[in-house]
Amino acid sequence: KALAKQQQVAEKMMDAFDGEPMPLFTQVSAGFNANLKKAVDEKAFAELQKQVKQKLGTMKEAKFFTYQRFDQADRVTYIGSFSKEKMVSMVFAFDKQNKLVDFAFAPVQQPEEAKK
């Protein structure tokens, strides 16, 4: 049950990076915990969207990758494809109330194919 709730929050978050239609900030931030709401307000979130678009491009797809349970938090990871980066790890950390506490998007460097 926790995973299903957390995936809904993560998917709302990812919707903010895949072009149109853009979810409202109030919809995205509804899944944030109190500290994240303080750290990421509407203005900061708009800036984050701009930075992601500049560095990674627009998200083309996202696939669920892993779910990890820890004593104090859970981590949900997706692997996404963006217009400027083929492979991006999107990690979402949740508290035990299934509220988003942190997130990170990072390009994944694929190993170069061995030259024959």
Side-chain angles (χ1 to χ4, degrees), residues 36-50:
L36 191 60
K37 280 185 181 177
K38 284 181 201 160
V40 182
D41 60 11
E42 194 163 0
K43 187 177 175 185
F45 191 73
E47 182 60 30
L48 174 72
Q49 286 176 298
K50 197 169 99 180

Side-chain angles (χ1 to χ4, degrees), residues 11-68:
E11 287 169 10
K12 270 275 186 261
M13 190 71 176
M14 289 183 291
D15 284 348
F17 301 98
D18 69 0
E20 303 299 327
M22 196 66 68
L24 298 172
F25 176 73
T26 52
Q27 295 172 311
V28 176
S29 64
F32 291 7
N33 80 344
N35 290 336
L36 191 60
K37 280 185 181 177
K38 284 181 201 160
V40 182
D41 60 11
E42 194 163 0
K43 187 177 175 185
F45 191 73
E47 182 60 30
L48 174 72
Q49 286 176 298
K50 197 169 99 180
Q51 288 176 6
V52 168
K53 196 172 248 357
Q54 286 173 346
K55 291 178 184 170
L56 306 175
T58 303
M59 188 170 63
K60 295 194 286 187
E61 70 173 336
K63 293 180 182 173
F64 174 72
F65 184 61
T66 61
Y67 177 61
Q68 296 167 293

